[in-house]
Amino acid sequence: MIDKRRDSEGWWEAVYSDASIVTQVDDGRGDPAGGVGEATSSLSAPGAVVAFLELLDLQPGDRILEIGTGTGWTAALLTALGAHVTTVEVDSGLAEQAAARLERHGNGVEVLVQDGAIGAPGRGSFDAVHVTCGVTHLPYAWVEQTRPGGRIAAPWMPEWGDGHKLNLTVTGDGLASGRLVGGADYMMLRAQRGTLRVPSDTSDARETGTRIDPRRVAYESYGADAAIAGLLPDVAGVACDGDRFELVLADVAGTSWARCRRTGTAEHQVLQAGPRNLWGEVADAYQRWESWGRPGRGRFGLSVGPGGQVVWLDDPSNVLRR
């Protein structure tokens, strides 16, 4: 915590640093200055914000739908670029504070308190959607509320691997499609928060072995992350570094789990339970990525339609299938 009155120079240095600032913990139940609790809202690092704003290719007068108001800072930046902004915030306390700041500085932003997953129905068609929170599944409402040719810039945070910066263009046939254009690490849309559920009791697990290194599967490439996430959208994985690396897997339905432990030998240990062979599915997806020539992240993309979303390689017609 920096007191502007006591340390003016340090305060300005912090303001202009390329760092994020946590502004809320535990959905408002804790004190962000205490350094304790789960961060649930923040002011993103300027570099990350600029990278997303550049994807929107804004023109003065554009109508922008922002998902996740937070402090109101990015909404103010959008208005400074000449946009007309409608911003949606699920947390009424954050929305009230942001609306007061924006009004105080004359930004003319419409602030709505509701679930960002529904967008802003009844507000007409927007030129672009700017998403400030991570999403595993892009709500189709955002596509419906964007004009043909409009953009959607969002942090795609699939169940598997690291997050990706996503740049979609909405087409006249009611679809949105675009490539992965870099990394992203954002707090999740509250409606899509998830947890990896793996029981501590492994007495009912079946034990097998594998010659595929689980650490390589977890850390190999952002392209491998995109491939596995596209082929297995309902499988989550968490890498646990320590004395002995372990990759923990679970399906989002909570039916199956696996623990893949690196042994330091040619044969690694696999413990898993449930109807699915999760390690086998993940290992197969990883090997398919290798068979494609180990494509990088930039060759993958995502398309969103009324029936959901799909991941593709090189071209929207080349959809990844299990």
Side-chain angles (χ1 to χ4, degrees), residues 141-154:
W142 300 348
V143 179
E144 292 181 301
Q145 294 167 29
T146 305
R147 65 165 176 81
R151 299 290 185 89
I152 301 175

Side-chain angles (χ1 to χ4, degrees), residues 108-156:
V109 174
E110 180 183 27
V111 181
L112 303 178
V113 184
Q114 58 197 33
D115 183 356
I118 68 171
R123 294 305 195 278
S125 184
F126 293 92
D127 297 293
V129 179
H130 176 240
V131 185
T132 71
C133 51
V135 289
T136 300
H137 304 284
L138 273 81
Y140 186 63
W142 300 348
V143 179
E144 292 181 301
Q145 294 167 29
T146 305
R147 65 165 176 81
R151 299 290 185 89
I152 301 175
W156 180 46

Side-chain angles (χ1 to χ4, degrees), residues 20-53:
S20 61
I21 301 173
V22 174
T23 56
Q24 186 194 70
V25 296
D26 296 333
D27 293 333
R29 296 185 298 274
D31 180 4
V36 178
E38 180 183 0
T40 50
S41 187
S42 71
L43 190 153
S44 299
V49 171
V50 169
F52 269 104
L53 294 182

Side-chain angles (χ1 to χ4, degrees), residues 75-129:
L77 291 177
L78 288 165
T79 60
L81 294 171
H84 302 293
V85 181
T86 296
T87 183
V88 179
E89 174 58 57
V90 70
D91 188 301
S92 59
L94 292 177
E96 182 179 347
Q97 294 171 20
R101 294 189 192 100
L102 291 164
E103 183 178 1
R104 185 163 62 247
H105 293 285
N107 293 107
V109 174
E110 180 183 27
V111 181
L112 303 178
V113 184
Q114 58 197 33
D115 183 356
I118 68 171
R123 294 305 195 278
S125 184
F126 293 92
D127 297 293
V129 179

Side-chain angles (χ1 to χ4, degrees), residues 161-186:
D162 291 326
H164 310 272
K165 198 180 284 94
L166 186 62
N167 185 22
L168 302 178
T169 298
V170 176
T171 55
D173 56 0
L175 302 177
S177 188
R179 291 186 181 274
L180 310 184
V181 291
D185 184 13
Y186 279 67

Side-chain angles (χ1 to χ4, degrees), residues 193-216:
R193 288 176 179 171
T195 57
L196 188 69
R197 298 183 295 276
V198 177
S200 56
D201 181 8
T202 61
S203 60
D204 64 340
R206 54 190 182 273
E207 182 174 348
T208 58
T210 179
R211 295 180 65 84
I212 298 176
D213 187 343
R215 193 175 193 280
R216 188 172 292 275

Side-chain angles (χ1 to χ4, degrees), residues 231-250:
L231 291 165
L232 301 171
D234 64 339
V235 176
V238 174
C240 305
D241 281 302
D243 294 337
R244 186 176 296 182
F245 175 86
E246 187 175 63
L247 178 60
V248 180
L249 313 174

